[in-house]
Amino acid sequence: MKPIRVMPDVALDRASSARALDRVGMAGIALPVRTRSATGETLQVPARVDVYVDLRDPDVRGIHMSRLYLRLQHAFAAEEMTPDGLGRVLAALVETQGALSRGAWLTIRFDHLVLRPALASANAGWKAYPVEVLASIVDGRVAIDLDVSVDYSSTCPASAALSRQMSAEAFARQFGAEGTVDAAAVHDWLRSEPGLVATPHAQRSRAHVRVRLVEGLASLPIVELIDRIEDALGTPVQTAVKREDEQAFAALNARNLMFCEDAARRVAHGLASDANVVRFELDVAHFESLHAHDACAAVSGEGGAA
């Protein structure tokens, strides 16, 4: 009878410098995950996953790392990633370590694709939103945070006011400060290059939002959160753009002037009434076209579920 071959496991050796560890694990694991689209279908997307557990026994040298990896391989491929499913996976990750751990942490990063209609034409295009799902379990208590980034356009109110002043002065020089003017002549002048005296500066901007979700949700409200942020900002960047869409976007920006302070307050106001949100943290950055630096603002607060 062939003897049983026992392989050494040095992870079970006594630690040379006894100390408990807050987190031990792996970062950047490639995994497929299933999420829900805006119209209700499940989508499989590639993700990068970080997984950690704590090591409570100060004398144990290492955790069972391969057990974490193998437990995750099909965790989110067969069914939609939900709060309940995340809780079950986290509990199973703790169980893989026997008595070594009481907590587990997951960070799941992926791009969430949403089909967005054009502003004026009959076209549509896909838009990718960077998403992170951060889930943890400690002593049986599950917590889930949702992290999204949304790009939008911001037109500077100060620059718009200065541009309007220059336009008014140019109009007075062209047609005089008093009396009546010929409407056709004004129309032709406004359509000409001299009629466009100045344009306010605008730039692509980004809102980065992290929320703690209320317990008991049946699904992850990814699209709902993105829509709430975009509705608050008013000028999200577009996908399919024909000339009529570009013109509509220019008009939308003119009606939606904002400093970075305005943008942060708008998003915070929207999140404060969100029943899925316990608390939030957000920051906005306007990638200035006037300056070589960015204009930024940040705010935190309680959501509608608090």
Side-chain angles (χ1 to χ4, degrees):
M1 185 177 191
K2 187 175 181 179
I4 298 175
R5 184 168 176 259
V6 178
M7 302 179 71
D9 188 354
V10 298
L12 299 177
D13 293 349
R14 186 178 179 86
S16 58
S17 299
R19 178 182 292 273
L21 298 174
D22 294 335
R23 298 190 187 186
V24 185
M26 292 163 283
I29 302 170
L31 289 177
V33 299
R34 286 192 174 274
T35 63
R36 186 176 296 274
S37 72
T39 53
E41 301 93 351
T42 57
L43 302 172
Q44 183 168 284
V45 297
R48 292 287 177 177
V49 178
D50 303 343
V51 57
Y52 296 95
V53 293
D54 58 351
L55 181 52
R56 297 296 180 97
D57 191 331
D59 294 318
V60 173
R61 188 177 184 184
I63 66 165
H64 303 290
M65 200 167 291
S66 63
R67 296 180 186 177
L68 297 179
Y69 181 87
L70 293 173
R71 180 61 185 82
L72 284 175
Q73 280 305 291
H74 303 288
F76 306 111
E79 60 182 29
E80 178 190 351
M81 180 172 52
T82 65
D84 279 349
L86 285 164
R88 291 193 299 271
V89 171
L90 287 164
L93 293 172
V94 174
E95 291 173 4
T96 65
Q97 304 303 305
L100 297 182
S101 304
R102 296 212 306 262
W105 292 263
L106 282 172
T107 300
I108 304 166
R109 301 179 184 88
F110 57 94
D111 283 345
H112 194 80
L113 285 172
V114 182
L115 187 64
R116 293 300 198 192
L119 284 175
S121 69
N123 299 299
W126 291 99
K127 191 172 177 183
Y129 298 88
V131 173
E132 288 189 10
V133 178
L134 304 99
S136 66
I137 187 170
V138 179
D139 294 329
R141 183 69 182 269
V142 176
I144 300 176
D145 290 353
L146 190 57
D147 186 302
V148 301
S149 293
V150 172
D151 286 355
Y152 61 100
S153 175
S154 61
T155 301
C156 176
S159 182
L162 295 170
S163 298
R164 288 193 298 268
Q165 180 188 44
M166 292 186 70
S167 294
E169 292 171 347
F171 182 90
R173 288 193 300 269
Q174 180 72 18
F175 297 101
E178 297 179 0
T180 60
V181 295
D182 181 70
V186 174
H187 178 270
D188 290 342
W189 180 75
L190 289 173
R191 286 177 61 90
S192 68
E193 287 191 15
L196 183 63
V197 181
T199 58
H201 76 82
Q203 52 274 318
R204 184 182 296 180
S205 307
R206 180 167 298 153
H208 174 229
V209 175
R210 177 171 294 184
V211 300
R212 171 62 54 87
L213 296 178
V214 69
E215 296 180 13
L217 292 176
S219 60
L220 295 172
I222 297 173
V223 176
E224 293 91 333
L225 179 59
I226 291 170
D227 286 345
R228 183 173 288 269
I229 296 167
E230 290 194 338
D231 289 344
L233 292 167
T235 43
V237 298
Q238 300 298 298
T239 55
V241 175
K242 301 287 285 184
R243 279 178 294 178
E244 58 266 40
D245 303 310
E246 186 170 358
Q247 189 176 62
F249 192 61
L252 193 60
N253 272 272
R255 300 192 302 268
N256 195 44
L257 308 175
M258 69 179 104
F259 293 122
C260 63
E261 297 93 331
D262 299 319
R265 289 179 175 128
R266 290 185 191 182
V267 178
H269 181 74
L271 296 174
S273 60
D274 192 334
N276 293 328
V277 174
V278 177
R279 61 178 181 269
F280 64 85
E281 298 176 0
L282 73 92
D283 60 82
V284 299
H286 291 188
F287 308 134
E288 288 277 346
S289 60
L290 172 64
H291 305 290
H293 53 266
D294 301 332
C296 304
V299 65
S300 59
E302 293 184 343

